[in-house]
Amino acid sequence: MADEVQQLTRAFSGLGGLGVDEPTMVSALARWRKQPEKRSGFRKGFPGFFKSHGEIDRCEDEYMLHLAAEFARFKNLMVLWAMHPWERDARLAHHVLHQQHPPAIVVEVACTRSADELLGTRRAYQALFHHSLEEDVAYRARDKPYCSLLVGLVSAYRYEGPRVNEEVAKAEAKALGAAVKSAAAAGGGGKKLVENEETTTLLETVLCLAAPAKYFSQVMEGALRDGADHHGKEALTRVAVTRSDHDMDDIRAAYHQQFGAKLEDAIAAKAHGHYRDALLSLVGAGK
Protein backbone atom coordinates (compact mmCIF):
# COMPACT_ATOMS: atom_id res chain seq x y z
CA MET A 1 0.00 0.00 0.00
CA ALA A 2 2.70 2.49 0.98
CA ASP A 3 4.70 1.79 -2.19
CA GLU A 4 1.61 2.20 -4.37
CA VAL A 5 0.81 5.54 -2.74
CA GLN A 6 4.39 6.74 -3.26
CA GLN A 7 4.32 5.71 -6.92
CA LEU A 8 1.07 7.55 -7.53
CA THR A 9 2.30 10.58 -5.62
CA ARG A 10 5.39 10.73 -7.84
CA ALA A 11 3.18 10.32 -10.91
CA PHE A 12 1.09 13.32 -9.91
CA SER A 13 3.77 15.57 -8.54
CA GLY A 14 6.63 15.00 -10.96
CA LEU A 15 8.85 15.89 -7.99
CA GLY A 16 10.01 19.03 -9.75
CA GLY A 17 10.10 17.38 -13.17
CA LEU A 18 8.18 18.05 -16.36
CA GLY A 19 4.90 16.40 -17.29
CA VAL A 20 3.06 13.66 -15.42
CA ASP A 21 3.31 9.87 -15.43
CA GLU A 22 0.05 8.93 -17.14
CA PRO A 23 0.63 5.12 -17.27
CA THR A 24 1.06 4.93 -13.49
CA MET A 25 -2.13 6.93 -13.03
CA VAL A 26 -4.11 4.67 -15.38
CA SER A 27 -2.71 1.61 -13.63
CA ALA A 28 -3.96 2.95 -10.28
CA LEU A 29 -7.47 3.36 -11.73
CA ALA A 30 -7.57 -0.37 -12.40
CA ARG A 31 -5.81 -1.60 -9.26
CA TRP A 32 -7.71 0.64 -6.83
CA ARG A 33 -11.20 0.04 -8.22
CA LYS A 34 -13.74 -0.32 -5.39
CA GLN A 35 -11.02 0.45 -2.83
CA PRO A 36 -11.81 3.97 -1.56
CA GLU A 37 -9.49 3.44 1.42
CA LYS A 38 -6.51 3.50 -0.98
CA ARG A 39 -7.57 6.83 -2.44
CA SER A 40 -8.04 8.13 1.08
CA GLY A 41 -4.51 6.99 1.95
CA PHE A 42 -3.22 8.68 -1.17
CA ARG A 43 -4.85 11.98 -0.20
CA LYS A 44 -3.45 11.85 3.31
CA GLY A 45 0.00 10.91 2.02
CA PHE A 46 0.16 13.85 -0.40
CA PRO A 47 0.06 17.03 1.73
CA GLY A 48 1.26 19.18 -1.17
CA PHE A 49 -1.91 18.38 -3.09
CA PHE A 50 -4.45 17.87 -0.29
CA LYS A 51 -4.95 19.58 3.06
CA SER A 52 -7.25 18.56 5.88
CA HIS A 53 -10.34 20.75 5.84
CA GLY A 54 -12.88 19.69 8.40
CA GLU A 55 -14.14 16.24 7.46
CA ILE A 56 -12.53 16.17 4.01
CA ASP A 57 -9.06 16.33 2.47
CA ARG A 58 -9.35 19.40 0.25
CA CYS A 59 -7.49 19.84 -3.07
CA GLU A 60 -5.17 22.83 -2.94
CA ASP A 61 -6.05 25.40 -5.64
CA GLU A 62 -2.44 26.28 -6.38
CA TYR A 63 -1.46 22.69 -6.96
CA MET A 64 -4.46 22.05 -9.19
CA LEU A 65 -3.23 24.87 -11.44
CA HIS A 66 0.27 23.38 -11.40
CA LEU A 67 -1.09 19.93 -12.24
CA ALA A 68 -3.20 21.31 -15.11
CA ALA A 69 -0.06 22.88 -16.57
CA GLU A 70 1.88 19.63 -16.30
CA PHE A 71 -0.92 17.63 -17.92
CA ALA A 72 -1.01 20.21 -20.74
CA ARG A 73 2.65 19.81 -21.71
CA PHE A 74 2.06 16.77 -23.91
CA LYS A 75 -1.06 18.31 -25.47
CA ASN A 76 0.76 21.56 -26.24
CA LEU A 77 3.67 19.66 -27.79
CA MET A 78 1.39 17.70 -30.10
CA VAL A 79 -0.55 20.81 -31.15
CA LEU A 80 2.67 22.64 -32.02
CA TRP A 81 4.00 19.61 -33.86
CA ALA A 82 0.84 19.28 -35.96
CA MET A 83 0.80 22.92 -37.09
CA HIS A 84 2.19 24.19 -40.37
CA PRO A 85 5.60 25.70 -39.52
CA TRP A 86 4.57 29.15 -40.71
CA GLU A 87 1.46 29.18 -38.52
CA ARG A 88 3.44 27.80 -35.60
CA ASP A 89 6.07 30.54 -35.84
CA ALA A 90 3.41 33.22 -36.30
CA ARG A 91 1.63 32.09 -33.14
CA LEU A 92 4.89 31.88 -31.19
CA ALA A 93 5.71 35.46 -32.19
CA HIS A 94 2.18 36.60 -31.30
CA HIS A 95 2.62 35.16 -27.78
CA VAL A 96 5.72 37.33 -27.35
CA LEU A 97 3.91 40.49 -28.38
CA HIS A 98 0.55 39.87 -26.71
CA GLN A 99 1.24 37.52 -23.79
CA GLN A 100 4.64 38.78 -22.66
CA HIS A 101 6.61 35.70 -23.64
CA PRO A 102 10.40 36.19 -23.92
CA PRO A 103 11.65 38.24 -26.91
CA ALA A 104 14.20 35.49 -27.60
CA ILE A 105 11.39 33.58 -29.33
CA VAL A 106 11.13 36.28 -32.01
CA VAL A 107 14.92 36.25 -32.30
CA GLU A 108 14.84 32.48 -32.88
CA VAL A 109 12.16 32.76 -35.56
CA ALA A 110 13.90 35.60 -37.37
CA CYS A 111 17.45 34.26 -37.18
CA THR A 112 17.16 30.50 -37.68
CA ARG A 113 14.54 30.29 -40.42
CA SER A 114 15.38 30.75 -44.09
CA ALA A 115 14.40 33.98 -45.81
CA ASP A 116 11.46 32.26 -47.49
CA GLU A 117 10.35 30.62 -44.23
CA LEU A 118 10.39 33.97 -42.43
CA LEU A 119 8.41 35.51 -45.28
CA GLY A 120 5.89 32.67 -44.93
CA THR A 121 5.63 33.36 -41.21
CA ARG A 122 4.94 37.03 -41.90
CA ARG A 123 2.19 36.07 -44.35
CA ALA A 124 0.70 33.64 -41.82
CA TYR A 125 0.84 36.28 -39.07
CA GLN A 126 -1.10 38.75 -41.20
CA ALA A 127 -3.69 36.13 -42.17
CA LEU A 128 -4.19 35.02 -38.55
CA PHE A 129 -4.07 38.34 -36.70
CA HIS A 130 -4.86 40.99 -39.33
CA HIS A 131 -1.66 42.90 -38.62
CA SER A 132 1.76 42.68 -40.17
CA LEU A 133 4.37 41.10 -37.90
CA GLU A 134 6.83 43.97 -38.30
CA GLU A 135 4.18 46.60 -37.49
CA ASP A 136 3.01 44.64 -34.47
CA VAL A 137 6.59 44.35 -33.20
CA ALA A 138 7.15 48.07 -33.72
CA TYR A 139 4.00 48.96 -31.77
CA ARG A 140 3.93 46.31 -29.06
CA ALA A 141 7.65 46.53 -28.24
CA ARG A 142 7.90 50.31 -28.73
CA ASP A 143 8.94 50.88 -25.09
CA LYS A 144 11.52 48.10 -25.07
CA PRO A 145 15.22 48.82 -25.62
CA TYR A 146 15.44 45.98 -28.16
CA CYS A 147 12.50 47.19 -30.30
CA SER A 148 14.55 48.44 -33.27
CA LEU A 149 16.58 45.23 -33.28
CA LEU A 150 13.48 43.01 -33.43
CA VAL A 151 11.88 45.16 -36.13
CA GLY A 152 15.02 44.88 -38.23
CA LEU A 153 15.20 41.11 -37.75
CA VAL A 154 11.59 40.33 -38.69
CA SER A 155 11.62 42.78 -41.61
CA ALA A 156 14.76 41.41 -43.25
CA TYR A 157 14.91 39.16 -46.30
CA ARG A 158 18.44 37.84 -45.96
CA TYR A 159 20.55 36.99 -48.97
CA GLU A 160 21.44 33.29 -48.81
CA GLY A 161 23.40 32.86 -52.01
CA PRO A 162 27.12 32.07 -52.47
CA ARG A 163 28.31 35.54 -53.49
CA VAL A 164 29.55 37.74 -50.63
CA ASN A 165 30.87 41.30 -50.73
CA GLU A 166 33.95 40.96 -48.51
CA GLU A 167 34.23 44.67 -47.75
CA VAL A 168 30.61 44.96 -46.69
CA ALA A 169 30.84 41.74 -44.65
CA LYS A 170 33.95 42.96 -42.81
CA ALA A 171 32.38 46.35 -42.11
CA GLU A 172 29.19 44.79 -40.79
CA ALA A 173 31.14 42.32 -38.64
CA LYS A 174 33.21 45.15 -37.20
CA ALA A 175 30.09 47.20 -36.40
CA LEU A 176 28.38 44.19 -34.82
CA GLY A 177 31.45 43.39 -32.74
CA ALA A 178 31.60 46.95 -31.47
CA ALA A 179 27.90 46.86 -30.59
CA VAL A 180 28.29 43.58 -28.69
CA LYS A 181 31.28 44.88 -26.73
CA SER A 182 29.47 48.09 -25.88
CA ALA A 183 26.33 46.26 -24.81
CA ALA A 184 28.28 43.73 -22.75
CA ALA A 185 30.18 46.50 -21.00
CA ALA A 186 26.95 48.28 -20.17
CA GLY A 187 25.34 45.09 -18.85
CA GLY A 188 28.42 44.00 -16.92
CA GLY A 189 28.67 47.38 -15.24
CA GLY A 190 25.37 46.86 -13.40
CA LYS A 191 23.45 49.51 -15.34
CA LYS A 192 19.69 49.74 -15.60
CA LEU A 193 17.51 46.71 -16.26
CA VAL A 194 16.56 47.99 -19.71
CA GLU A 195 20.23 48.00 -20.71
CA ASN A 196 20.54 44.40 -19.53
CA GLU A 197 17.47 43.48 -21.60
CA GLU A 198 19.04 45.05 -24.67
CA THR A 199 22.35 43.30 -23.98
CA THR A 200 20.71 39.92 -23.53
CA THR A 201 18.65 40.22 -26.72
CA LEU A 202 21.63 41.38 -28.76
CA LEU A 203 23.85 38.56 -27.51
CA GLU A 204 21.07 36.02 -28.17
CA THR A 205 20.79 37.36 -31.71
CA VAL A 206 24.51 37.04 -32.37
CA LEU A 207 24.66 33.49 -30.99
CA CYS A 208 21.50 32.48 -32.86
CA LEU A 209 22.98 33.68 -36.15
CA ALA A 210 26.55 32.47 -35.61
CA ALA A 211 26.06 29.19 -33.73
CA PRO A 212 22.39 28.15 -33.63
CA ALA A 213 23.08 24.63 -32.34
CA LYS A 214 25.04 26.04 -29.40
CA TYR A 215 22.29 28.57 -28.73
CA PHE A 216 19.50 25.98 -28.72
CA SER A 217 21.50 23.55 -26.58
CA GLN A 218 21.86 26.29 -23.97
CA VAL A 219 18.12 27.00 -24.11
CA MET A 220 17.32 23.34 -23.54
CA GLU A 221 19.82 23.07 -20.69
CA GLY A 222 18.18 26.06 -19.02
CA ALA A 223 14.75 24.45 -19.41
CA LEU A 224 15.96 21.27 -17.69
CA ARG A 225 17.50 23.02 -14.69
CA ASP A 226 15.95 22.76 -11.26
CA GLY A 227 14.08 25.98 -10.61
CA ALA A 228 13.49 26.88 -14.26
CA ASP A 229 10.59 29.31 -14.55
CA HIS A 230 7.43 28.81 -16.59
CA HIS A 231 8.78 30.29 -19.81
CA GLY A 232 12.06 28.47 -19.39
CA LYS A 233 10.27 25.12 -19.17
CA GLU A 234 8.10 25.94 -22.18
CA ALA A 235 11.26 26.42 -24.23
CA LEU A 236 11.96 22.69 -24.07
CA THR A 237 8.80 21.94 -26.04
CA ARG A 238 9.38 24.80 -28.46
CA VAL A 239 12.94 23.86 -29.35
CA ALA A 240 12.23 20.13 -29.57
CA VAL A 241 9.35 20.69 -31.99
CA THR A 242 10.81 23.46 -34.14
CA ARG A 243 14.32 22.00 -34.52
CA SER A 244 13.54 18.27 -34.73
CA ASP A 245 13.49 18.25 -38.54
CA HIS A 246 16.43 20.61 -38.96
CA ASP A 247 19.50 20.60 -36.75
CA MET A 248 18.66 18.43 -33.73
CA ASP A 249 21.70 16.19 -34.29
CA ASP A 250 23.90 19.29 -34.10
CA ILE A 251 22.06 20.47 -30.99
CA ARG A 252 22.60 17.13 -29.25
CA ALA A 253 26.29 17.27 -30.11
CA ALA A 254 26.57 20.84 -28.86
CA TYR A 255 24.78 19.91 -25.64
CA HIS A 256 27.20 17.05 -25.00
CA GLN A 257 30.20 19.23 -25.76
CA GLN A 258 29.11 22.05 -23.45
CA PHE A 259 27.58 20.15 -20.55
CA GLY A 260 29.30 16.76 -20.64
CA ALA A 261 26.07 14.78 -20.78
CA LYS A 262 23.65 13.45 -23.36
CA LEU A 263 20.60 15.57 -24.01
CA GLU A 264 18.37 12.51 -24.16
CA ASP A 265 19.61 11.34 -20.75
CA ALA A 266 18.86 14.74 -19.23
CA ILE A 267 15.35 14.69 -20.69
CA ALA A 268 14.71 11.12 -19.51
CA ALA A 269 15.77 12.06 -15.98
CA LYS A 270 13.63 15.20 -15.81
CA ALA A 271 10.48 14.58 -17.84
CA HIS A 272 7.67 12.09 -17.27
CA GLY A 273 5.06 10.06 -19.06
CA HIS A 274 3.92 10.71 -22.61
CA TYR A 275 5.61 14.11 -22.58
CA ARG A 276 8.99 12.49 -21.92
CA ASP A 277 8.44 9.91 -24.65
CA ALA A 278 7.43 12.58 -27.16
CA LEU A 279 10.48 14.71 -26.35
CA LEU A 280 12.81 11.73 -26.71
CA SER A 281 11.26 10.95 -30.08
CA LEU A 282 11.74 14.51 -31.28
CA VAL A 283 15.37 14.77 -30.20
CA GLY A 284 16.16 11.46 -31.86
CA ALA A 285 17.09 9.43 -28.80
CA GLY A 286 18.84 6.21 -29.71
CA LYS A 287 20.15 7.45 -33.04
Side-chain angles (χ1 to χ4, degrees), residues 21-97:
D21 187 353
E22 295 95 343
T24 297
M25 295 178 181
V26 173
S27 177
L29 293 178
R31 295 197 320 272
W32 294 9
R33 185 169 177 264
K34 295 184 179 180
Q35 299 183 69
E37 70 280 0
K38 287 191 175 182
R39 291 198 298 276
S40 176
F42 163 67
R43 290 191 295 270
K44 294 183 184 305
F46 197 171
F49 194 175
F50 299 94
K51 183 175 290 187
S52 179
H53 189 79
E55 297 181 358
I56 66 170
D57 298 309
R58 180 181 181 275
C59 288
E60 291 293 286
D61 293 339
E62 183 178 350
Y63 193 80
M64 283 196 290
L65 293 174
H66 165 75
L67 193 61
E70 296 304 325
F71 267 107
R73 291 194 190 281
F74 176 66
K75 178 206 71 175
N76 293 341
L77 181 150
M78 293 306 303
V79 170
L80 276 182
W81 176 82
M83 283 183 188
H84 190 287
W86 296 354
E87 178 187 359
R88 181 170 61 220
D89 284 346
R91 291 188 182 280
L92 288 172
H94 191 262
H95 291 163
V96 173
L97 302 173

Side-chain angles (χ1 to χ4, degrees), residues 129-261:
F129 307 114
H130 309 292
H131 294 280
S132 74
L133 174 57
E134 50 271 37
E135 289 174 349
D136 227 5
V137 170
Y139 177 73
R140 294 286 175 175
R142 63 190 182 279
D143 297 326
K144 300 294 184 180
Y146 47 73
C147 180
S148 59
L149 173 62
L150 293 189
V151 171
L153 289 174
V154 300
S155 302
Y157 187 85
R158 294 192 304 276
Y159 173 70
E160 297 171 334
R163 301 178 66 177
V164 177
N165 186 315
E166 294 291 342
E167 291 185 3
V168 172
K170 289 179 180 178
E172 290 180 342
K174 184 177 180 179
L176 182 59
V180 170
K181 289 180 181 179
S182 175
K191 299 273 181 128
K192 297 178 181 177
L193 175 61
V194 292
E195 293 175 334
N196 290 331
E197 286 182 322
E198 183 177 27
T199 301
T200 299
T201 306
L202 179 58
L203 294 177
E204 287 169 342
T205 300
V206 172
L207 188 57
C208 230
L209 287 168
K214 182 177 181 180
Y215 167 84
F216 284 119
S217 69
Q218 292 178 0
V219 172
M220 297 187 90
E221 192 276 336
L224 291 165
R225 287 180 195 165
D226 292 336
D229 64 16
H230 170 69
H231 292 308
K233 291 178 180 178
E234 283 190 335
L236 189 62
T237 298
R238 182 180 75 249
V239 174
V241 171
T242 61
R243 308 316 300 169
S244 180
D245 293 337
H246 299 282
D247 53 358
M248 187 54 71
D249 289 346
D250 295 333
I251 293 170
R252 290 208 320 270
Y255 187 96
H256 188 269
Q257 182 179 28
Q258 291 184 92
F259 306 111

Side-chain angles (χ1 to χ4, degrees), residues 11-14 17-22 70-71 73 270-273 275:
F12 268 91
S13 69
L18 300 166
V20 293
D21 187 353
E22 295 95 343
E70 296 304 325
F71 267 107
R73 291 194 190 281
K270 194 70 175 179
H272 305 283
Y275 181 62

Side-chain angles (χ1 to χ4, degrees), residues 270-281:
K270 194 70 175 179
H272 305 283
H274 298 325
Y275 181 62
R276 175 198 59 211
D277 296 341
L279 287 173
L280 292 175
S281 297

